[in-house]
Amino acid sequence: MTGTSFSRRRLLTGVTAAAAGLALTGCVGRREGDYAQVSGEVPAQFARRERVVLWSAFTSHNATILQSVIDGFNASQQDIFCEIQLFPGYPALDSKLAASFALAQVPDIVTLSDVNWNRYFLAETLEPLSGYFDAGFGPDAFHPRFLAEGTVRGQVYWLPWARSTPLFYYNKEIFAGAGLPDRGPKTYTELREWGRQLKGFKYRGSPVRMRGYTGKDDWYFQGSTWAFNGSYSDGMAPRLDSEQTIAALEFDRAFIHDDQMAYLSGDINADFVSGVTATICNSTGALASLLKAAKFEFGAAFLPEQDAPGVPTGGSGLAVMRNSTKARKQATWELVRYLAETGAPEWSLNTGYLPVTTSSLNSAKIKERNTATPAYQIAQDQLGRARQPDVMRRYVNEAISELLIALEQVYAAGADPGEVLREAARKLGPAIERVQPKYQRLVAA
């Protein structure tokens, strides 16, 4: 086990524990407006405005783009000032937000990941948003597919923003040199066959493997479970130990340890752009950075199927904190409206995240970009076969950390997939029982 893996696991466990307690206790019974706003700094020129605090998990390039969008909002009117407070990724933001409820001091709007927002919904800390829409700004401002993923029992709680799916990326130079077709594999079986054909091939003087796997995110494995007709769960009933889910992980084990044409990578992007690996499965949100970093032409394709499509949606959206003041929530909604109507095209165009609003879907600049770089259009087209993660992954906080442990055991050490998935299912039993009452009361049909 590497030091990085151990630190990440400890971080995930800490976040899980904090969020699990939050989901049980929540903020039920507290009066509207009795949470203070987190502290920060307001430039002198904005001192008389209503302050809105946005907590963001975006870093580096994406943080710069978001700040540009928010600067546009602050310049567009004279009543509201939005301050961004940055965190180094979703786990850090999630941990801080869970802890902040104990202090009754929270931000106004938060970028919550596609799984994290569900635990705050169970804790009843998110503002229901459907009532804020009006004739001038309605739900049709958002992509209906993504809006539905943030809707529970007809009420919107989480708005789409930085949404994505995984794509299959391949190095065209390597594929051509090895005699492989200029396309993505149709099935995982075909991917493995291509790996055997690639064996022994050298790129720029060094041996190449077919795929680099990441041990930092189980999102990709969620998709491959569906491709093999498996899943994490059926509703809240676990299916990690099903024959089909085990088959999905057995494919990965065999590809890595039997064929020795895949491996556990410390940084799949870096390995791909340096030519160490011929392919990776990575987010559509990584497309812009890959285009900038790669010194070769690469292709993008739909994820392979096997018995069925296996494409999970991911990324993050925006949630408004419920126990803010009415004035702050109304000001926050004005920010939401600006982001949907004006800021979203700039965001999608410059980050590579999927267009999730009417304004971005209709943007002439985005359409031009997609024509010039077809990979962006492929990402949008693949959305038709995508679906949101399984219920257990979304609502059982420990599911992801347990899956990361299981994946690392298989990818790094070649452990038996059936054994590790059965053990993960056993360990998740108490967590499922803990969440079940709230899930049944607030979510289940």
Side-chain angles (χ1 to χ4, degrees):
M1 180 188 301
T2 66
T4 301
S5 297
F6 182 69
S7 297
R8 179 178 175 81
R9 187 173 300 172
R10 290 185 63 183
L11 175 60
L12 283 165
T13 304
V15 170
T16 292
L22 172 69
L24 283 176
T25 57
C27 307
V28 181
R30 301 201 63 142
R31 299 186 310 277
E32 180 179 64
D34 63 355
Y35 276 81
Q37 190 178 53
V38 292
S39 61
E41 296 183 3
V42 179
Q45 67 266 37
F46 302 123
R48 296 181 180 274
R49 298 188 181 191
E50 183 74 49
R51 175 173 173 258
V52 168
V53 178
L54 166 61
W55 275 12
S56 167
F58 301 114
T59 58
S60 161
H61 172 77
N62 288 351
T64 300
I65 300 304
L66 182 61
Q67 186 63 62
S68 174
V69 171
I70 295 303
D71 287 345
F73 170 73
N74 289 335
S76 70
Q77 39 71 50
Q78 298 181 341
D79 300 318
I80 305 164
F81 167 69
C82 177
E83 175 190 352
I84 302 177
Q85 296 183 2
L86 295 174
F87 294 84
Y90 294 116
L93 186 153
D94 190 40
S95 181
K96 182 69 172 180
L97 184 60
S100 74
F101 285 98
L103 303 175
Q105 188 179 71
V106 294
D108 301 295
I109 185 168
V110 182
T111 60
L112 292 177
S113 80
D114 62 315
V115 290
N116 288 354
W117 80 268
N118 297 277
R119 68 177 62 116
Y120 293 101
F121 169 78
L122 286 186
E124 300 177 68
T125 62
L126 303 185
E127 176 77 354
L129 300 173
S130 296
Y132 287 85
F133 290 115
D134 56 31
F137 178 54
D140 58 357
F142 296 94
H143 191 300
R145 169 61 184 282
F146 284 127
L147 188 69
E149 292 191 3
T151 302
V152 181
R153 293 182 177 176
Q155 180 68 253
V156 177
Y157 292 90
W158 183 67
L159 295 164
W161 180 248
R163 302 305 313 275
S164 59
T165 64
L167 276 181
F168 182 88
Y169 299 98
Y170 63 98
N171 184 318
K172 290 194 171 194
E173 292 182 5
I174 292 176
F175 270 39
L180 297 174
D182 185 6
R183 61 173 175 84
K186 291 182 171 62
T187 65
Y188 281 96
T189 297
E190 187 172 48
L191 173 64
R192 192 174 179 192
E193 291 170 352
W194 288 1
R196 291 167 178 156
Q197 185 174 338
L198 184 67
K199 200 159 193 174
F201 180 81
K202 291 186 177 182
Y203 180 63
R204 298 177 181 174
S206 299
V208 176
R209 295 191 189 181
M210 178 56 83
R211 179 179 174 183
Y213 283 85
T214 178
K216 300 175 183 177
D217 195 340
D218 71 309
W219 183 46
Y220 308 98
F221 181 65
Q222 168 72 101
S224 63
T225 65
W226 298 333
F228 284 79
N229 272 337
S231 62
Y232 280 23
S233 66
D234 180 5
M236 272 291 186
R239 290 196 67 222
L240 288 176
D241 54 358
S242 71
E243 178 183 344
Q244 296 86 349
T245 307
I246 292 171
L249 191 51
E250 169 58 24
F251 174 90
D252 294 343
R253 186 209 63 77
F255 202 21
I256 294 170
H257 296 283
D258 294 348
D259 299 354
Q260 296 188 347
M261 285 309 295
Y263 63 101
L264 179 60
S265 169
D267 187 334
I268 58 174
N269 280 7
D271 286 357
F272 181 66
V273 300
S274 64
V276 172
T277 182
T279 77
I280 56 171
C281 293
N282 204 347
S283 169
T284 54
L287 181 50
S289 60
L290 288 175
L291 287 167
K292 184 177 181 180
K295 304 304 180 185
F296 53 83
E297 185 181 2
F298 65 85
F302 287 1
L303 293 181
E305 299 184 10
Q306 190 66 18
D307 302 307
V311 183
T313 57
S316 65
L318 301 169
V320 177
M321 296 296 102
R322 186 173 197 165
N323 289 86
S324 176
T325 65
K326 185 176 294 186
R328 278 163 48 200
K329 285 188 283 194
Q330 193 57 55
T332 300
W333 187 250
E334 292 303 313
L335 170 63
V336 167
R337 180 169 185 163
Y338 177 88
L339 293 175
E341 295 181 338
T342 305
E346 178 183 350
W347 171 256
S348 293
L349 187 65
N350 291 289
T351 63
Y353 281 107
L354 290 167
V356 297
T357 65
T358 303
S359 62
S360 53
L361 286 166
N362 293 334
S363 167
K365 289 184 178 180
I366 288 179
K367 291 178 180 179
E368 290 171 5
R369 179 203 64 183
N370 291 5
T371 299
T373 309
Y376 286 108
Q377 189 61 49
I378 291 170
Q380 289 181 220
D381 293 343
Q382 187 183 229
L383 185 58
R385 58 176 62 188
R387 63 198 247 205
Q388 66 185 133
D390 290 330
V391 165
M392 189 176 75
R393 188 175 188 267
R394 287 183 279 140
Y395 286 98
V396 179
N397 305 314
E398 294 86 348
I400 292 176
S401 55
E402 286 300 331
L403 259 295
L404 289 175
I405 293 170
L407 293 178
E408 184 175 282
Q409 290 174 335
V410 173
Y411 293 171
D416 180 80
E419 290 182 6
V420 300
L421 288 175
R422 283 189 287 270
E423 177 67 5
R426 185 189 67 79
K427 287 184 176 180
L428 287 170
I432 294 171
E433 291 180 8
R434 186 194 71 244
V435 173
Q436 190 78 257
K438 274 214 155 189
Y439 174 80
Q440 291 297 326
R441 179 168 67 86
L442 296 174
V443 182

